[in-house]
Amino acid sequence: MSHPHVEFSRPSARAKHFTTSSPDKFAKEKREILQAADLSRKGAIDARIEHVVEHLNARPQYFTTSSCSGRTVLLSEGSSGDTVRKKGCVWLNVSHELLGQGELELSLSSHTGSAVLKFEPFILHVRCHTLEDARKLLATSIGAGCRNSGIMISKTGSVHVAVRTTLSMEVPLSQNGNLLVSAQYLEFLGSEANAKMAKNWARLERFSAALRDLQGTSRPGEDCRVFCGVRPLHHDRRKNADELNDPMDCLVSLPSLFEGALSSS
């Protein structure tokens, strides 16, 4: 089962049409994606998220295109000045489990570049057959505490859901080989990363449990704004009932769902 990289683009706020592939075409695309080579660094699905991936892929209306169960990463810019987000950065330490005592300090002991510690919670990118399928999965995600989730439409009209939480952390630790923090603070950061990892695992299991009730999250034709909790844009100016059911209103309004999410997570 593979998870090749997929790029997404945000649709125009005024877009009116979506491409819904036929069941046969969607099934063919699903087979091709899941049978392709895994292009991730690890080359395999993380064990802690594998049961969720299998559950989604067992449903005819969904398949996963990428996944990660959550990780703590110590990244290096090296001496070239490249940011840690650029391709080719050095991974000093990466763990999908809890960090051990002194692990961060040991990883930095011989480092001469600039290092950043990042905690990245679990993430799933899911291809959906229809917008209605995406709506249901989004409602399930948000209901399970994954408040940074959202619906995305590719340039070709394919519908995707990104399942994400707000448990991220990013802290610079060294610059040009000079450690910017004390050993005591490194231990504190390691404890914080471990605490976030534990919360991340609990959130992942909460989402996994919510998937079992996915079919009951919405009824066919149910207005996206009803279960997303989003008010229609310019609702006081519209006269036509069909305009009020424009699914793009939900997509345009989704960021309002997550205002203040970082401060409350």
Side-chain angles (χ1 to χ4, degrees):
M1 191 179 300
S2 61
H3 288 126
H5 176 69
V6 176
E7 293 186 353
F8 303 104
S9 61
R10 184 177 179 84
S12 165
R14 298 299 180 186
K16 295 292 182 181
H17 302 288
F18 298 90
T19 300
T20 299
S21 57
S22 67
D24 290 344
K25 182 179 179 181
F26 183 83
K28 181 176 182 293
E29 180 185 354
K30 180 174 181 176
R31 285 194 302 271
E32 291 174 349
I33 292 293
L34 298 184
Q35 292 173 2
D38 193 320
L39 302 180
S40 66
R41 284 177 181 256
K42 186 176 180 179
I45 300 173
D46 297 339
R48 287 185 180 273
I49 204 170
E50 189 170 6
H51 65 295
V52 178
V53 170
E54 290 178 349
H55 187 118
L56 283 166
N57 289 334
R59 293 173 176 265
Q61 69 271 43
Y62 301 114
F63 64 86
T64 56
T65 59
S66 65
S67 66
C68 178
S69 64
R71 63 189 182 186
T72 303
V73 188
L74 188 59
L75 295 169
S76 171
E77 295 180 1
S79 57
S80 64
D82 292 339
T83 67
V84 296
R85 294 179 179 82
K86 288 187 178 179
K87 186 177 180 180
C89 62
V90 178
W91 292 29
L92 301 177
N93 192 323
V94 57
S95 176
H96 294 83
E97 301 296 330
L98 300 180
L99 296 173
Q101 186 173 5
E103 187 171 342
L104 292 179
E105 186 175 8
L106 180 62
S107 299
L108 288 167
S109 59
S110 59
H111 179 54
T112 58
S114 300
V116 174
L117 176 68
K118 298 181 70 176
F119 176 77
E120 300 172 338
F122 87 86
I123 185 169
L124 282 159
H125 287 128
V126 185
R127 173 80 162 86
C128 307
H129 183 213
T130 66
L131 182 60
E132 182 68 18
D133 296 327
R135 290 171 173 176
K136 293 179 180 180
L137 183 57
L138 176 62
T140 298
S141 303
I142 295 174
C146 305
R147 292 173 293 171
N148 205 27
S149 301
I151 296 174
M152 297 170 289
I153 312 296
S154 72
K155 292 180 180 179
T156 60
S158 299
V159 184
H160 304 79
V161 169
V163 182
R164 299 173 294 210
T165 74
T166 58
L167 294 171
S168 301
M169 178 177 72
E170 182 171 347
V171 184
L173 299 180
S174 66
Q175 184 176 33
N176 299 325
N178 298 315
L179 193 61
L180 302 176
V181 299
S182 66
Q184 182 180 7
Y185 191 64
L186 278 179
E187 283 301 306
F188 168 76
L189 289 177
S191 297
E192 285 294 296
N194 285 345
K196 284 182 175 290
M197 183 66 84
K199 290 181 180 179
N200 172 69
W201 291 338
R203 196 73 55 86
L204 178 58
E205 289 310 308
R206 182 179 169 187
F207 173 70
S208 176
L211 282 179
R212 292 194 289 269
D213 299 322
L214 180 59
Q215 294 298 336
T217 55
S218 67
R219 296 180 296 276
E222 185 175 20
D223 189 352
C224 180
R225 291 174 296 276
V226 173
F227 70 83
C228 287
V230 181
R231 294 174 58 190
L233 296 181
H234 313 300
H235 66 285
D236 56 329
R237 298 181 183 178
R238 295 188 173 179
K239 307 297 183 182
N240 191 322
D242 291 335
E243 290 183 309
L244 289 175
N245 289 325
D246 180 3
M248 281 309 303
D249 284 348
C250 178
L251 297 180
V252 174
S253 304
L254 278 175
S256 65
L257 285 172
F258 313 119
E259 291 177 359
L262 284 173
S263 60
S264 60
S265 61

